[in-house]
Amino acid sequence: MANGKTASFLILVNKLLIYQSRQTLYYDDKNNYAEDLLCGDIEEQDLKAKSWLKWNELSPATPNSLYQSLKNLATYFSNSPLTNVAINMVDKFMSGDNNSYKNNQLTSSVANHTATRSYITSAISFIKTILSQYNGNLSRLKYYPSTRDDHLLKIMFEENEIYQPAYSTLNDYINGLAFCLHGLWGNKIEVTSYNKSGNNYTIKLLFTLYDHFGLDEEDVRNFSSGSISNFIMENFLNAPLEGFSAWYILQHNKSYNKQYKPFPTIIEISENVSGTI
């Protein structure tokens, strides 16, 4: 402050990236295309040879019967209002539209989830700490993949053992979040605007959480015969777990000529934050 005046400035940021998980929207941490987004990549005879696929329970395995199994799975593991979302995601998969998917009801359910709120609250606390330490210098938050290991926000996440949210509680299986998302593939945090006046500031953050509506081998093994399967069997009677096999077959069977395609699911949550340096 000089002559009774307070320095004030507004920075309009075009989504300044300040954090990114190792897994980006389409690629894993080794820059390989995500396995659960692959489709039409396995010969049918090779699929039939996989002991963890429930072919016998799906016979006759036609596209229509497999679709019904997948739809039954979505209906079983969801309640209103997410049942409509789950069915909508299944139908999008069956349509072959692999463009990214957003849904207001799904976003609302995720945004209000305790796991999401806990993650966002921790991230905001870390961001405010960094801005305070560096006199509001926004550039200290900027994320560069090449220097990820030295990134201040990433370090604070790790030191405090803060991990991206997952939706795998008993209630998540009941309401539909476990079916629609379960565990996230990744997430990123961006700044869309920053206003500093003296020692006070406001910052607008955009949290983007993303997953894939598709299955890889590990997914089916976990849901059909692994620890997740045991959890389901203990809590849900007559759960139609063969639906996961149906899903995998529709997605990966080469004879279907990539008619049924997995897609990215995107959740965007905006947060307005005020702080003092």
Side-chain angles (χ1 to χ4, degrees):
M1 182 186 301
N3 299 322
K5 297 181 179 179
T6 300
S8 177
F9 59 87
L10 170 66
I11 300 176
L12 297 176
V13 183
N14 185 20
K15 292 187 178 180
L16 175 70
L17 184 64
I18 63 171
Y19 177 75
Q20 173 87 59
S21 59
R22 289 188 182 276
Q23 299 185 133
T24 57
L25 185 59
Y26 290 99
Y27 296 91
D28 66 16
D29 57 349
K30 297 180 177 60
N31 207 35
N32 297 313
Y33 193 71
E35 184 182 348
D36 57 7
L37 284 176
L38 297 176
C39 66
D41 56 321
I42 304 175
E43 296 287 352
E44 183 168 307
Q45 62 186 25
D46 294 328
L47 286 170
K48 289 181 176 180
K50 297 182 184 296
S51 60
W52 41 270
L53 285 177
K54 300 180 182 294
W55 276 96
N56 292 337
E57 298 178 34
L58 294 167
S59 182
T62 65
N64 185 61
S65 67
L66 295 173
Y67 164 63
Q68 291 302 322
S69 293
L70 176 53
K71 189 174 180 180
N72 289 341
L73 184 72
T75 303
Y76 185 92
F77 284 111
S78 63
N79 278 325
S80 180
L82 287 179
T83 296
N84 288 338
V85 177
I87 297 299
N88 183 241
M89 295 178 80
V90 168
D91 287 343
K92 175 177 167 63
F93 169 84
M94 294 298 297
S95 76
D97 176 8
N98 64 346
N99 291 314
S100 59
Y101 178 81
K102 297 179 183 179
N103 180 282
N104 290 338
Q105 180 58 62
L106 181 60
T107 294
S108 177
S109 297
V110 170
N112 292 314
H113 195 282
T114 54
T116 309
R117 297 317 310 168
S118 177
Y119 181 78
I120 288 176
T121 298
S122 295
I124 289 173
S125 175
F126 299 154
I127 291 167
K128 292 174 75 171
T129 296
I130 293 169
L131 287 174
S132 181
Q133 288 177 344
Y134 293 96
N135 197 35
N137 185 354
L138 193 62
S139 66
R140 300 296 304 198
L141 281 167
K142 189 172 182 179
Y143 177 85
Y144 298 94
S146 61
T147 57
R148 187 176 195 280
D149 288 341
D150 297 321
H151 184 62
L152 295 174
L153 188 52
K154 175 262 187 185
I155 291 171
M156 295 185 78
F157 275 129
E158 291 187 347
E159 288 181 344
N160 290 275
E161 298 183 349
I162 302 299
Y163 308 105
Q164 65 183 5
Y167 309 99
S168 54
T169 66
L170 179 59
N171 192 53
D172 295 330
Y173 278 92
I174 293 171
N175 65 30
L177 273 182
F179 177 82
C180 294
L181 292 173
H182 199 258
L184 295 175
W185 173 256
N187 78 97
K188 64 181 179 179
I189 308 171
E190 296 162 302
V191 176
T192 57
S193 70
Y194 181 54
N195 190 326
K196 183 173 179 292
S197 179
N199 290 330
N200 300 312
Y201 65 86
T202 58
I203 184 170
K204 187 171 184 178
L205 303 170
L206 178 64
F207 291 80
T208 302
L209 315 178
Y210 46 87
D211 193 29
H212 302 144
F213 193 77
L215 298 179
D216 57 27
E217 179 175 331
E218 183 179 0
D219 292 327
V220 182
R221 286 182 176 274
N222 284 336
F223 281 104
S224 298
S225 60
S227 59
I228 296 177
S229 174
N230 294 333
F231 167 81
I232 292 174
M233 292 175 66
E234 290 173 1
N235 293 281
F236 301 94
L237 295 176
N238 303 315
L241 296 183
E242 68 278 2
F244 291 105
S245 293
W247 187 349
Y248 188 88
I249 293 166
L250 284 165
Q251 178 179 333
H252 293 279
N253 194 333
K254 187 174 287 187
S255 67
Y256 295 155
N257 298 314
K258 300 184 179 182
Q259 286 180 268
Y260 316 113
K261 296 179 181 178
F263 52 84
T265 304
I266 296 177
I267 310 293
E268 293 180 328
I269 304 168
S270 294
E271 296 284 332
N272 294 308
V273 179
S274 298
T276 302
I277 298 167

